[in-house]
Amino acid sequence: MQTSSKDAAIAIDGPAASGKSSVGLMLADDLGYLFLDTGCMYRAVTLAVLRRKVDINDEQAVVLLTKSLDLAILPPDGSKDGRLYTVLLNNRDVTWDLRFGEVDVNVSQVSAYKGVRRDLVRRQREIANQGKVVVVGRDIGTVVLPDAPLKLFIIASVEERARRRWLEQLERTENVDYEQILKDIVRRDRIDGNRQHSPLRQATDAIIIDTTNKSPESVLEEILALEYFQSIRTRR
Ligand code: DC
């Protein structure tokens, strides 16, 4: 049965490394909902652009490539490498390739293209319409699922966000430069917040959750204490 986003979707938005993906996944697990991190879709397109050596400044070529991609986001399925989900790009596991270096540097440019957004938003709505789902991104409450009954806007100080990315990258590679990561986050905030199409914005009916100096567990507790969940429990 098809459910509309009105009944079943929880929209979570926020800037890079604000903790929205970890908290979104924990929330989805707790509720038994599907989890969709839309950032990985923009990252997968960026990876494909780089690997196929498509000119990133050629918007039309990037959009054409986006439309041709076979993209699947699956549960982690027992992989014990810290992944929150598995991303298959044309049937190849690219989950970790999406996280570092060139993809980080180029993803904001790719995600600013209108045609790329149109194609990925269509795919995101298709997934969200399948049932109860927690969807995480930048424009979920404002564009992808504007009818979602609960919208959260997750924030944290820029230093804390850079520290989280630094720790995350340190687990997988050496020579990680905190100052460079901080600079890159500030740059991406600027691009994501000022782009012409679907810039990062808090929906007017979103609830702000500040995760600075809080553990993911305490943030989850804070979210589950919201009025929305009290009313869901009463209805059940
Ligand atoms: O959440 P993230 O860092 O993995 O997102 C990667 C990039 O994708 C980010 O720079 C902004 C973009 N993005 C977007 O424009 N819209 C979304 N719904 C999700 C991510």
Side-chain angles (χ1 to χ4, degrees):
M1 193 184 72
Q2 290 246 318
T3 11
S4 85
S5 64
K6 252 194 176 77
D7 310 313
I10 295 176
I12 302 185
D13 292 300
S18 57
K20 59 189 187 305
S21 299
S22 318
V23 167
L25 179 64
M26 288 167 74
L27 184 62
D29 278 350
D30 191 89
L31 299 169
Y33 280 24
L34 199 74
F35 172 66
L36 175 63
D37 177 5
T38 59
C40 77
M41 299 171 91
Y42 291 94
R43 286 174 179 272
V45 171
T46 307
L47 184 70
V49 167
L50 297 170
R51 289 211 170 145
R52 306 261 182 106
K53 301 204 180 341
V54 169
D55 177 3
I56 198 163
N57 297 310
D58 183 345
E59 179 168 351
Q60 217 181 350
V62 173
V63 173
L64 263 181
L65 175 65
T66 305
K67 289 180 177 168
S68 76
L69 295 175
D70 182 0
L71 201 53
I73 299 137
L74 309 171
D77 268 348
S79 303
K80 297 220 173 355
D81 58 0
R83 64 180 59 194
L84 304 184
Y85 42 75
T86 293
V87 183
L88 299 183
L89 177 61
N90 294 335
N91 282 319
R92 282 185 48 200
D93 183 349
V94 294
T95 311
W96 287 117
D97 301 336
L98 302 181
R99 291 290 134 196
F100 305 116
E102 288 288 278
V103 172
D104 253 353
V105 174
N106 291 292
V107 66
S108 283
Q109 181 174 353
V110 168
S111 55
Y113 291 146
K114 189 175 177 182
V116 171
R117 303 202 69 81
R118 187 177 293 157
D119 184 72
L120 294 187
V121 166
R122 180 187 54 75
R123 297 181 196 228
Q124 291 156 19
R125 287 185 179 141
E126 267 173 30
I127 298 171
N129 280 334
Q130 287 169 19
K132 297 179 172 181
V133 63
V134 174
V135 188
V136 173
R138 301 290 193 293
D139 58 344
I140 310 305
T142 50
V143 175
V144 181
L145 304 170
D147 295 337
L150 178 65
K151 298 176 185 174
L152 304 174
F153 196 76
I154 310 271
I155 57 169
S157 72
V158 71
E159 292 78 15
E160 167 113 4
R161 294 191 283 131
R163 194 178 62 83
R164 287 179 190 159
R165 269 287 142 84
W166 178 73
L167 285 172
E168 188 182 293
Q169 296 194 8
L170 212 53
E171 274 182 26
R172 310 195 67 82
T173 41
E174 290 169 8
N175 299 328
V176 193
D177 180 352
Y178 170 84
E179 290 303 326
Q180 187 53 47
I181 293 175
L182 180 65
K183 258 195 228 157
D184 191 47
I185 287 194
V186 170
R187 184 184 68 89
R188 278 180 47 202
D189 279 355
R190 188 168 29 83
I191 301 178
D192 294 344
N194 292 304
R195 68 181 174 219
Q196 192 187 354
H197 307 292
S198 312
L200 172 66
R201 290 267 181 281
Q202 182 198 337
T204 48
D205 50 350
I207 298 167
I208 294 186
I209 306 281
D210 189 341
T211 67
T212 310
N213 296 324
K214 293 179 193 160
S215 68
E217 291 76 17
S218 68
V219 175
L220 178 66
E221 217 171 287
E222 186 177 332
I223 292 172
L224 288 172
L226 292 173
E227 172 63 31
Y228 172 77
F229 291 104
Q230 314 304 327
S231 64
I232 281 194
R233 279 184 206 109
T234 319
R235 267 191 274 146
R236 277 177 184 161

